Amino acid sequence: MSTATYTVIGMTCGHCVSSVKEEVSEVPGVTGVEVDLSTGLLTVHSDGPADDSAIGAAVTEAGYSLASAAEAS
């Protein structure tokens, strides 16, 4: 199991959080998603190393963008 943390830009409300969670949850291999509105942090739990491009595409599909990514293991 792997965990990766990203910073999402543009979220302003609970609906934003729901949209990001929904899109990222659909990425293959993702087993859990946590989003903190106040910090913009997106934590992704997955079966193996997260596919940064797929996570970025899911966040973009939700209408937001990624500022950074950092593997947490």
Side-chain angles (χ1 to χ4, degrees):
M1 185 156 186
S2 246
T3 302
T5 304
Y6 306 85
T7 301
V8 179
I9 299 171
M11 295 187 303
T12 58
C13 64
H15 176 49
C16 302
V17 169
S18 296
S19 295
V20 170
K21 277 186 177 180
E22 182 179 335
E23 291 296 335
V24 173
S25 293
E26 293 176 5
V27 173
V30 170
T31 58
V33 179
E34 299 166 33
V35 181
D36 186 320
L37 177 60
S38 63
T39 62
L41 288 181
L42 163 65
T43 304
V44 178
H45 304 282
S46 55
D47 291 331
D51 180 348
D52 291 339
S53 62
I55 300 297
V59 170
T60 299
E61 180 68 26
Y64 309 97
S65 58
L66 289 182
S68 63
E71 280 295 319
S73 77

